Amino acid sequence: MLNEIKLKIGNSNLSNLSLTAQAVNVIVGPNNSGKSLMLREILQTLSSHEENNHFIIDDISLKSIEFEEIKGIVDSRKRDIYNPDNITIFDSNGHPSHSISEQEFYNSFLKFGETNPYCDKFVTNFLAGQSTLLLNGQTRLNSLTWKEYTTHSSPTNQFNNTVNKLIKDDNLYKKLGEYVYDAFKVYPEISLNGAQARIVLSKTKIEEHLRLSIKPDATEFLQNAQNDENTSDGRKAYIGIISEIIAGNPNIILLDEPEAFLHPPLARKLGSVMSKIAISEEKQIFVSTHSSDFIMGCIEAHVPINIIRLTYETGGATAKLLDNESLSRMMKNPLLRSTNVLDGIFYKNVIVTESDSDRVFYQEINKRLKEYKPEWYIEDCLFLNAQNKQTVGWITEELRKIGIPTVSILDLDLIKDGGSNFTNYLRSVNIPENQFPGLSTNKTYIKQLFPDIESKNSSLKTQGINFLDPDDKHLLETFLQTLNTYGLFPVPCGELESWLPNVPLGGHGNSWIIAKFELMGDDPDSSNYIKPTDDDVWFFFKQIKDWLDNPERRGM
């Protein structure tokens, strides 16, 4: 089992990350950030005797093990059929790789334990490499295909497959049956055809005396079961993953995009089942995924979990850790759970708004920028609504902790809030506290510039900065620029409903957004279709994009 993993993040001089491996370790990030590469490098580090020049993995250490324990492991492993005094070393696919003498191995282990824990590749390979399984897409979809089997023990690789192992071990077969029935309410049975066998799925159990039989009654029963030709890819993938974990009995499981072919509820169940297997059978799982449903399944299993977020841009690579404690804190908050905040870990950028109407409107603005003013378009961006101003700050703060560039958009009436409410807005975007007094003083003065500030439709909300004369406008501009520097973007014209005054409309909330979209048009060829200009909300987005794209952005 793995203890510590050190990441070096390429050849850059960015600070390296060390993490303690947990039962479940999830790797996330935008596309092309290195998630799949990290899995492959873990496998290469554990399986190869050569020194590795990796981009992400710097080194891996194993959990400590006593000499008597490793002697028991050695005694239980296969010997070289040509030299019984040698121990056979297997590769990550379970195939014999090479052999070394038992004494040489013990010497390597003692060196491993007494000097440098990273010094000997023989020991690492023996303890971890040969008990590590990498599951790819093809492996999963082949779960119900015909495979060769034998009733005799064989040293060849020909019969090193899941079905052959299930035929020989009733306990493994029963365990697989429990998991498959729990997911699909069908039973996995094994159909025989000469020297080949395959898993099929039946709504009822085959009678025990017909199991693994070629009698006509068994053949007729199994012909009515679902097989590789008439079973969905989702079922094949799920069964492929679970059967390989059970039959292969690896200690370390590497799984790339488990959600492939699975609909969201099934991805969630897979996350829960795999996590429970990991903790109950003392295994470790490393998964790269784009699925928040899979991660929620892992979280709901209540097992120790790491989330490692990788990014890679022109400016360099980064790695951030959302550890078990931080993740638990985030998921315990019902407001954070309700906003799908976990989805943010899969995106390059996140924008958090106060309400769903705000989220929908700004998302549409970004879409039209992509079509007609792409230089101002914010790519790979998730828009979240946070229910209220306070929750905007919570979400922004949590996402920034794991390195996700996150912007808060708030209505300008935040200047009405005093005391801790206002300073919490500042604190959530990491504005230094020595700036709090000056910003609070400026806020107090700006409030006085709006004499009707307490009225329902005050000029602060309906006009914002446009209500002020040039001198006073400069003061508010300076105030907003300071907040913008840290990724906090109050709406300068007051609130959502004040954008695009050339498309006039009264009202608020959901009814407003529906009517506003109707006026903005949905046919790009129509003269009434609203397209980006160089001002108003379009320029507001340009300012947000500048902050998100700036590698020296403040507030992270």
Side-chain angles (χ1 to χ4, degrees), residues 74 79-80 83-89 98-109 122 126:
V74 169
R79 300 292 171 145
D80 189 312
N83 188 348
D85 292 330
N86 280 14
I87 301 168
T88 300
I89 302 295
H98 62 281
S99 65
I100 61 174
S101 72
E102 185 173 340
Q103 189 57 50
E104 181 184 357
F105 181 82
Y106 288 145
N107 291 341
S108 297
F109 172 74
F122 279 125
F126 181 80

Side-chain angles (χ1 to χ4, degrees), residues 123 195 219-220 287 392 446 448 478-479 489 500:
V123 178
T219 302
E220 181 180 356
V287 180
V392 170
I446 292 168
Q448 298 170 1
T478 303
F479 176 79
F489 285 84
L500 301 179

